[in-house]
């Protein structure tokens, strides 16, 4: 007959555990070496076979830009429709952001 050990309090559980995670103990290994002798950490990664051509990359970026623009337009329309922002406030904010961006572009070109 086997009996289970029953703990009556959490303190007895914590006293029993040593706090050492035994899975990480390194033990000597006398078995067969399964690693290959090549160290691939310093090698260059293989060339990607699925690399896009410049035309395909441009098309993908255009699709991403259009998707982002449509989502931002939908968000702006929702804010105006819900009354959280008026159309005039939205236009003022867009103009402010556009002017800030233009100033940054001019500073970078100088």
């Amino acid at each position: 007959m086997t009996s289970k050990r029953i703990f009556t309090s959490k303190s007895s559980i914590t006293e029993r555990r040593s706090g050492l995670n035994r899975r990480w103990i390194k033990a000597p290994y006398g078995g067969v070496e399964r690693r290959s002798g090549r160290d691939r950490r310093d090698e260059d990664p293989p060339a990607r076979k699925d690399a896009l051509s410049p035309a395909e990359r441009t098309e993908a970026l255009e699709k991403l830009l259009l998707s982002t623009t449509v989502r931002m337009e939908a968000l702006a329309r929702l804010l105006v429709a819900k009354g959280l922002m008026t159309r005039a406030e939205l236009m003022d904010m867009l103009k402010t952001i556009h002017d800030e961006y233009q100033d940054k572009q001019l500073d970078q070109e100088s």
Side-chain angles (χ1 to χ4, degrees), residues 10-43:
K10 288 188 176 189
S11 64
S12 60
I13 293 172
T14 55
E15 291 171 6
R16 183 172 167 261
R17 295 182 182 166
S18 65
L20 177 65
N21 188 347
R22 297 182 191 279
R23 290 183 294 171
W24 297 106
I25 295 175
K26 303 274 187 197
Y29 179 69
V32 178
E33 180 65 42
R34 294 190 173 112
R35 294 179 291 186
S36 68
R38 217 172 90 213
D39 187 4
R40 295 182 296 267
R41 289 178 288 185
D42 295 330
E43 293 178 5

Side-chain angles (χ1 to χ4, degrees), residues 54-69:
E56 292 172 331
R57 186 179 174 120
T58 302
E59 183 180 345
L61 288 173
E62 285 175 354
K63 285 181 182 178
L64 180 63
L65 181 63
L66 179 64
S67 172
T68 303
T69 304

